[in-house]
Amino acid sequence: MSLEDALAKVPGDLLGPKRVHVHITGRVQGVFFRDSCKQEADRHHVIGWVRNNPDGSVEALFQGDPSAIEQILAWCHTGPPRARVAEIHTNYLDVETSQESVDPDFGNIKKSSGFQIR
């Protein structure tokens, strides 16, 4: 059995936390996307942040168990009822080395901070 096959049989939560940076375009501002995203993140015990960008997009950083990350990413494809998501770009990051890798305002995620709306 290959390493990939063996890892596929391990429950995702045992592989350790995952971190993903997400950029979402479409009608995603003025539709309670950030607030709804925080509710979803809290429900799935995901930490990180979400913010509006000047270009009308929404950006988020999620960190948590792999299964929780996949669930919140699935939610991001539709968002709240009034949103119309056009595209989602995801970038999986190394949890240990990606503290400042996206931009200077990326921020250090602390578990005690939970999920924040910026």
Side-chain angles (χ1 to χ4, degrees):
M1 177 184 305
S2 72
L3 177 59
E4 290 83 16
D5 292 338
L7 287 175
K9 295 181 185 248
V10 175
D13 294 353
L14 296 178
L15 296 176
K18 299 294 178 209
R19 178 179 284 183
V20 62
H21 180 240
V22 182
H23 185 250
I24 306 162
T25 61
R27 191 173 78 192
V28 292
Q29 290 190 15
V31 295
F32 300 99
F33 198 100
R34 292 179 302 156
D35 188 58
S36 299
C37 186
K38 179 179 179 3
Q39 290 175 18
E40 286 295 310
D42 290 345
R43 187 166 73 93
H44 294 293
H45 308 287
V46 169
I47 60 174
W49 51 260
V50 62
R51 68 181 173 195
N52 284 341
N53 286 326
D55 65 0
S57 66
V58 168
E59 180 180 13
L61 181 71
F62 302 117
Q63 182 176 313
D65 292 329
S67 61
I69 295 298
E70 294 308 314
Q71 289 175 338
I72 199 159
L73 289 177
W75 176 86
C76 285
H77 282 277
T78 56
R82 292 177 42 207
R84 297 294 174 261
V85 175
E87 287 186 296
I88 294 182
H89 299 279
T90 58
N91 183 22
Y92 284 86
L93 305 168
D94 183 274
V95 173
E96 299 300 321
T97 61
S98 64
Q99 296 297 338
E100 304 290 335
S101 63
V102 176
D103 65 43
D105 193 34
F106 198 62
N108 188 0
I109 298 176
K110 293 182 172 47
K111 194 168 192 167
S112 61
S113 300
F115 194 85
Q116 302 172 347
I117 297 174
R118 293 188 171 176

